[in-house]
Amino acid sequence: VARGPMESEFHQAVSEVLESIAPVVAGHPEYVEAGILERLVEPERQIMFRVPWVDDDGAARVNRGYRVQFNSALGPFKGGLRFHPSVNLSIMKFLGFEQVFKNALTGQGIGGAKGGSDFDPHGRSDAEVMRFCQSFMTELYRHIGDQTDVPAGDIGVGGREIGYLFGQYRRMTNAHQSGVLTGKGIGWGGAQVRTEATGYGAVYFLQEMLDVRGDSVEGKTAIVSGSGNVAIYAIEKLQQLGAKPITASDSSGFIVDEAGIDLDLLKELKEAGRERISAYARRRPSARFVSSGRVWEVPGQLVIPCATQNELGSDDAAALVRHGVIAVAEGANMPCTPDAVEAFAQAGVLFAPGKAANAGGVAVSALEMAQNAAREHWSFEESELRLRGIMADIHAAAFAAAERYGHPGDYVVGANAAGFVRVADAMLAQGLV
Ligand code: NDP
């Protein structure tokens, strides 16, 4: 806290992890002697840089760029880039810290990092986004590489931005080093299922949790927030498995469609058109748009928050419990506040933390790296099968660790403990570095 007094999101993420791994640390004095905890909370390297660019009116603009390379004990740094006006060092550190445990859980040999900028792509032309991405990469390129650090997308960074970033990297290095970024287009080094992976993976995890109770997602109503990459593909997989998602949102409000979300329409508006979510209600008679209010007031049995951190608080959790929620899987990173997580636990609601439930995205990114290194292209079916297997393995690892450390059914403890042990053992073996 003394080193970063204003970093509230980072402190929130660290407290949640440290509290839940107390029983693990108690059984491993060697971790304490080797200073594992002190080293884990200090990033290996933090890079902050100026990103100057010119807008369409010819005016000079300046944003701040970040890359927090948190921990590389298990493999090259890996984690997304976020472009959103709320980005600051605290948010970068919280996301990078979470990424370390998430990546360990995937079992794919990747370290943890996060980066991005306070640049807001909303309302910017393609040309402005391209110039920004080129300027951002002009500094970032010297810090990354397929053996060093492999960024990907996150909020505000999708296929378009990855394309511009990759183009500039290639130009500056005179190398088509495809493994330097993931989330690339299928025609130039991208992997099948990467776009779908985070949303699909969250639903697979939900299904695994329900399976333990002899239940399934089929026939259940689902409440989803967000309408970006994660939300769209969570909705798609929910529908494929027979559930009925009825909501989506963005920063302007949310829509409720009691007939079930029309996915083609949502994709047309959000992926192709970059429109506001209210446009959905204008085009669909069964839907209504709500500009003020909480999407969590809408009754449903399954909940997948897919927008941003701390979007679901204790009042929201209380409303969901009142309306009969049975399972929550975090598609976003840390969308539920600690009070909300506690409320779900008290009510016996199944709860999957983001570092387990949304790990499918980075897991398929690791598969993209493997395909790039081997110059291979796997089919959609094979890639989806692998994703499904990885999500089942993550579920099994978190479930077993929760039992081993005396908190059966608690996936927060389970995911943190299982991820922590993998990283801590590697750090222990590699000495004081
Ligand atoms: P996108 O940019 O594709 O979509 C984000 C969605 O969330 C948009 O609908 C956006 O609305 C909404 N949103 C973002 N910030 C806010 C806010 N402050 N208040 C209200 N709504 C907001 O991002 P992704 O779908 O990729 O990411 C969503 C979450 O999932 C993030 O927490 C991310 O870290 C996490 N995640 C993403 C992964 C991936 O593979 N993409 C992997 C693992 C986790 P608007 O357009 O109005 O801003």
Side-chain angles (χ1 to χ4, degrees):
V1 171
R3 279 197 194 129
M6 310 294 279
E7 299 173 351
S8 61
E9 293 86 357
F10 177 53
H11 299 155
Q12 182 183 335
V14 169
S15 318
E16 187 246 335
V17 170
L18 293 189
E19 277 166 25
S20 66
I21 59 171
V24 186
V25 177
H28 289 277
E30 70 277 18
Y31 291 162
V32 178
E33 281 157 28
I36 297 287
L37 296 181
E38 287 84 348
R39 285 192 279 149
L40 256 180
V41 298
E42 187 65 26
E44 287 182 30
R45 190 177 296 115
Q46 305 178 61
I47 302 145
M48 288 166 66
F49 50 97
R50 178 171 64 204
V51 189
W53 56 284
V54 178
D55 70 17
D56 284 346
D57 297 326
R61 302 270 180 168
V62 179
N63 286 96
R64 183 174 291 171
Y66 299 85
R67 187 70 179 166
V68 176
Q69 297 178 330
F70 225 107
N71 194 302
S72 61
L74 292 179
F77 298 108
K78 180 93 196 86
L81 297 172
R82 175 176 293 192
F83 292 169
H84 192 272
S86 64
V87 163
N88 57 36
L89 187 59
S90 171
I91 288 181
M92 293 289 97
K93 285 178 69 179
F94 122 63
L95 290 164
F97 183 71
E98 289 277 302
Q99 197 82 42
V100 174
F101 302 94
K102 180 190 308 189
N103 293 3
L105 265 177
T106 68
Q108 299 289 306
I110 37 181
K114 202 78 189 188
S117 174
D118 56 1
F119 172 72
D120 186 356
H122 289 110
R124 291 285 167 204
S125 68
D126 273 1
E128 288 178 316
V129 170
M130 182 177 74
R131 287 195 292 275
F132 175 81
C133 288
Q134 290 176 339
S135 180
F136 184 84
M137 186 53 88
T138 300
E139 173 59 33
L140 187 69
Y141 90 99
R142 70 189 82 243
H143 307 290
I144 61 176
D146 61 359
Q147 306 291 317
T148 314
D149 183 355
V150 182
D154 190 74
I155 292 178
V157 179
R160 173 182 63 168
E161 291 75 16
I162 293 291
Y164 294 148
L165 291 164
F166 186 74
Q168 185 70 356
Y169 182 85
R170 187 169 58 74
R171 181 189 196 188
M172 297 198 67
T173 57
N174 191 29
H176 200 290
Q177 190 190 332
S178 53
V180 74
L181 288 172
T182 58
K184 299 179 293 297
I186 296 291
W188 42 279
Q192 297 285 358
V193 190
R194 175 59 190 92
T195 306
E196 296 84 357
T198 307
Y200 278 20
V203 178
Y204 285 141
F205 198 94
L206 198 58
Q207 180 61 52
E208 292 286 336
M209 289 197 301
L210 288 163
D211 208 34
V212 173
R213 290 193 179 174
D215 203 348
S216 90
V217 302
E218 194 177 351
K220 299 199 168 57
T221 300
I223 308 304
V224 175
S225 66
S227 51
N229 173 259
V230 181
I232 285 175
Y233 292 96
I235 288 172
E236 183 163 289
K237 185 52 72 182
L238 282 165
Q239 291 181 342
Q240 288 173 4
L241 297 182
K244 186 178 168 193
I246 59 167
T247 62
S249 71
D250 65 17
S251 52
S252 66
F254 64 92
I255 49 117
V256 188
D257 186 344
E258 297 293 349
I261 296 290
D262 177 340
L263 192 59
D264 289 341
L265 177 59
L266 189 65
K267 284 184 179 178
E268 181 192 325
L269 296 171
K270 282 295 186 178
E271 288 189 327
R274 298 180 190 276
E275 295 207 44
R276 300 280 73 201
I277 197 71
S278 50
Y280 180 97
R282 285 198 296 276
R283 296 268 299 272
R284 179 108 162 137
S286 55
R288 62 191 161 89
F289 171 65
V290 184
S291 62
S292 60
R294 311 286 298 163
V295 67
W296 315 119
E297 298 281 346
V298 181
Q301 296 127 306
L302 308 176
V303 170
I304 314 189
C306 299
T308 194
Q309 63 275 358
N310 294 326
E311 57 168 311
L312 194 164
S314 54
D315 290 350
D316 303 319
L320 288 166
V321 168
R322 226 175 20 252
H323 290 139
V325 63
I326 57 173
V328 179
E330 292 188 324
N333 283 310
M334 209 168 74
C336 300
T337 64
D339 288 352
V341 177
E342 182 57 30
F344 291 135
Q346 295 293 333
V349 174
L350 287 168
F351 178 79
K355 65 174 71 68
N358 70 33
V362 75
V364 175
S365 275
L367 302 185
E368 183 173 335
M369 291 162 71
Q371 289 167 80
N372 292 154
R375 302 183 78 81
E376 285 181 356
H377 301 279
W378 304 340
S379 70
F380 192 94
E381 292 70 26
E382 179 181 355
S383 308
E384 194 181 2
L385 212 59
R386 286 184 190 243
L387 168 64
R388 197 172 187 154
I390 291 169
M391 295 314 295
D393 288 348
I394 293 173
H395 176 270
F399 189 84
E403 298 234 312
R404 188 173 326 124
Y405 295 108
H407 292 261
D410 185 335
Y411 291 96
V412 175
V413 169
N416 285 334
F420 169 73
V421 168
R422 287 180 187 170
V423 182
D425 284 347
M427 291 173 73
L428 204 57
Q430 293 171 24
L432 192 63
V433 291

